[in-house]
């Protein structure tokens, strides 16, 4: 099954003494493909405004895979590719998701 995923956040920031931070927006759009009951793939585009006026927004794409090892344990991995000069050139993340018992 395919799913389209999207979100938009607006973050209102305070201004610490001597600093002028601006409110920012964060946009995420992507697709998620559940290949089976135990595995899925996803691809996302993220764009985050800089808190400092005049700095470029951070933009990147990520591609990932999730694999359920059991009912409550999932292994996750993703590769990131930066699309702007303020983003990472590339990156990799890996993690483990543990779910508690269902009630």
């Amino acid at each position: 099954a395919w799913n389209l995923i999207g979100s938009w956040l607006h973050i209102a920031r305070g201004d610490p003494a001597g600093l002028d931070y601006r409110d920012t927006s964060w946009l995420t759009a992507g697709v998620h493909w559940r290949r089976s009951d135990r595995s899925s793939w996803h691809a996302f585009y993220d764009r985050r405004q800089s808190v400092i006026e005049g700095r470029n927004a951070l933009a990147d794409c990520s591609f990932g895979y999730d694999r359920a090892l059991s009912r409550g344990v999932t292994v996750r991995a993703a590769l990131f590719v930066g699309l702007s000069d303020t983003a990472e050139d590339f990156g990799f993340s890996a993690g483990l998701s543990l779910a508690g018992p269902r009630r």
Side-chain angles (χ1 to χ4, degrees), residues 58-75:
L58 184 148
D60 65 22
C61 282
S62 62
F63 307 94
Y65 178 72
D66 295 352
R67 176 71 178 177
L69 301 179
S70 67
R71 186 173 187 156
V73 179
T74 302
V75 173

Side-chain angles (χ1 to χ4, degrees), residues 7-91:
S7 66
W8 176 78
L9 299 162
H10 181 79
I11 302 165
R13 302 188 188 277
D15 290 324
L19 296 173
D20 184 23
Y21 291 145
R22 68 178 180 168
D23 295 349
T24 58
S25 292
W26 184 333
L27 170 71
T28 299
V31 294
H32 181 260
W33 175 45
R34 181 162 299 281
R35 191 169 122 59
S36 70
D37 287 343
R38 300 187 75 176
S39 66
S40 63
W41 293 90
H42 60 268
F44 286 99
Y45 168 78
D46 286 312
R47 186 176 192 283
R48 298 178 289 275
Q49 287 181 311
S50 174
V51 298
I52 301 170
E53 188 71 39
R55 301 256 342 239
N56 291 337
L58 184 148
D60 65 22
C61 282
S62 62
F63 307 94
Y65 178 72
D66 295 352
R67 176 71 178 177
L69 301 179
S70 67
R71 186 173 187 156
V73 179
T74 302
V75 173
R76 301 172 189 252
L79 177 65
F80 298 86
V81 178
L83 301 175
S84 67
D85 61 347
T86 55
E88 68 280 1
D89 290 335
F90 62 90

